[in-house]
Amino acid sequence: MNRTTVGGPKLGGGRGAGGVVVLADPAGAGSGAVAPLLANSLHPSVLLRADDFRRAIRQGFVPSHLPQAHRQNETALAAAIQAAFAFATGGYQVVLEATVAPPALDVLRRESRTTGAPLHYVVLRPSGGPGKSDPPDRHDVDVAAEPKATAGTVLAGLGRGAFLLGW
């Protein structure tokens, strides 16, 4: 079966693998609205939200903003990452909406290297918000526009390989 996209960029790296797009943002910057638009533009696709993996914990859940939630948050993110690459190796284009700290980038890179599925990293930055005085990174996308326009900007960048994260 040919695992290419319809109406969007080809994210996969050959061997039938799909790709993983990590969509990160500071809270409230728009990934919740942009992520489903991206997933709907890729075929076949999967949308995973790291928050859903945290909410799956039924007993012993600790609110994620508390310091004692560190292990829980890391475990949930690791599960989301493993699920993302499992879908990618099955040929799906995966959009993973997650807050990703530098240690998690190492986990993402390792999974990408192990599975052969390409990894794309996109950080949505609110216009004029925190961090905007910093020079923009090549993975940054300004979210001043409506979610549909932001999704279009991200898709165009994915098509050019602009957000590809090396090993």
Side-chain angles (χ1 to χ4, degrees):
M1 177 194 239
N2 185 6
R3 301 288 190 174
T4 59
T5 59
V6 175
K10 182 177 179 185
L11 304 179
R15 296 184 292 164
V20 175
V21 179
V22 176
L23 189 62
D25 69 348
S31 66
V34 174
L37 295 170
L38 285 177
N40 289 341
S41 298
L42 302 169
H43 181 79
S45 67
V46 173
L47 171 60
L48 298 175
R49 298 178 191 269
D51 284 347
D52 292 342
F53 285 78
R54 276 192 290 280
R55 283 192 284 270
I57 299 168
R58 291 295 169 222
Q59 297 295 323
F61 177 80
V62 178
S64 61
H65 67 280
L66 296 176
Q68 56 268 42
H70 181 72
R71 184 173 140 262
Q72 164 194 285
N73 296 342
E74 281 187 340
T75 300
L77 181 57
I81 290 169
Q82 289 175 355
F85 282 96
F87 277 113
T89 57
Y92 291 90
Q93 313 304 322
V94 181
V95 176
L96 173 59
E97 181 189 352
T99 301
V100 177
L105 285 176
D106 292 337
V107 175
L108 285 159
R109 283 185 169 118
R110 184 178 65 240
E111 289 295 319
S112 175
R113 191 172 43 250
T114 300
T115 62
L119 173 62
H120 305 265
Y121 181 61
V122 180
V123 180
L124 300 182
R125 299 271 184 211
S127 181
K132 280 310 275 187
S133 60
D134 299 334
D137 182 270
R138 73 178 185 95
H139 297 278
D140 291 354
V141 172
D142 188 352
V143 293
E146 292 295 315
K148 189 172 182 178
T150 302
T153 299
V154 172
L155 284 167
L158 289 171
R160 294 189 314 274
F163 306 119
L164 197 59
L165 194 61
W167 295 335

